[in-house]
Amino acid sequence: MKKVLVIPNIPSERITKSSAFEIARVLSDAFETYYLTWEAPDPRSFSQRIKASVRDFFAVPGVSCGNGFRILNVPMMHRPLALGRRFNGNQLSAWACENGIDSVINCSYMNYPSPGCVKRRIFHFLDLYEEKSSGTAAGVIENHVRAEMEKA
């Protein structure tokens, strides 16, 4: 059976109004589908953001079942953005290559580049980040989107 990895723009395995979640749910009928998730703290709480960042950085890679597909957890770095993107990409690539992922649907606008070992890549624009950013965040987002479009 073909293996598909869905990378959401936000961790939403408990939210059913996410296009990435719906894509994973539908694909799970025909494919071995993995849905990447990570800690989603309240953005208004600095202490929750710090706790989530520490938990995500030291997360043990693993897969659990839920919502009809497999929930994937790998270590993640939230900040700094440019370094985090590289760290997150390396973690996800190592897992995807080791587990024989055939296809990736990437809805992430900055956190996760598509693994290099995957043969088929789709960059999903529906959830593309539209908020006006400036400085480093805007540059990281623009570079990530450009690189993922070239891969797809």
Side-chain angles (χ1 to χ4, degrees):
M1 181 178 284
K2 296 280 185 185
K3 295 181 179 182
V4 178
L5 171 62
V6 178
I7 305 171
N9 65 335
I10 57 170
S12 56
E13 80 274 5
R14 293 184 254 343
I15 302 169
T16 58
K17 297 199 179 200
S18 160
S19 62
F21 178 91
E22 289 300 317
I23 289 168
R25 190 180 60 75
V26 170
L27 288 176
S28 67
D29 291 339
F31 303 99
E32 189 174 319
T33 305
Y34 295 86
Y35 184 85
L36 181 66
T37 191
W38 58 91
E39 188 75 28
D42 181 347
R44 298 167 293 184
S45 171
F46 182 72
S47 64
Q48 281 190 12
R49 289 193 331 246
I50 295 296
K51 287 176 188 175
S53 294
V54 170
R55 278 194 297 264
D56 282 339
F57 187 79
F58 292 105
V60 175
V63 176
S64 60
C65 292
N67 298 311
F69 47 83
R70 292 158 181 83
I71 307 296
L72 170 64
N73 197 354
V74 295
M76 177 197 188
M77 180 184 286
H78 292 261
R79 296 283 188 271
L81 293 175
L83 181 59
R85 183 178 184 278
R86 188 173 305 125
F87 175 85
N88 300 341
N90 288 340
Q91 294 293 317
L92 191 58
S93 283
W95 184 88
C97 296
E98 183 178 302
N99 289 279
I101 297 297
D102 300 297
S103 302
V104 170
I105 300 173
N106 192 351
C107 305
S108 171
Y109 59 85
M110 74 177 170
N111 289 321
Y112 287 97
S114 295
C117 61
V118 175
K119 297 176 185 122
R120 189 171 289 132
R121 297 178 189 93
I122 297 170
F123 188 54
H124 181 56
F125 281 101
L126 186 59
D127 294 333
L128 188 61
Y129 186 70
E130 294 184 14
E131 181 179 312
K132 297 293 181 196
S133 296
S134 61
T136 304
V140 169
I141 292 168
E142 182 179 336
N143 291 338
H144 175 80
V145 170
R146 188 179 313 275
E148 291 305 300
M149 286 174 57
E150 289 174 4
K151 287 185 208 173

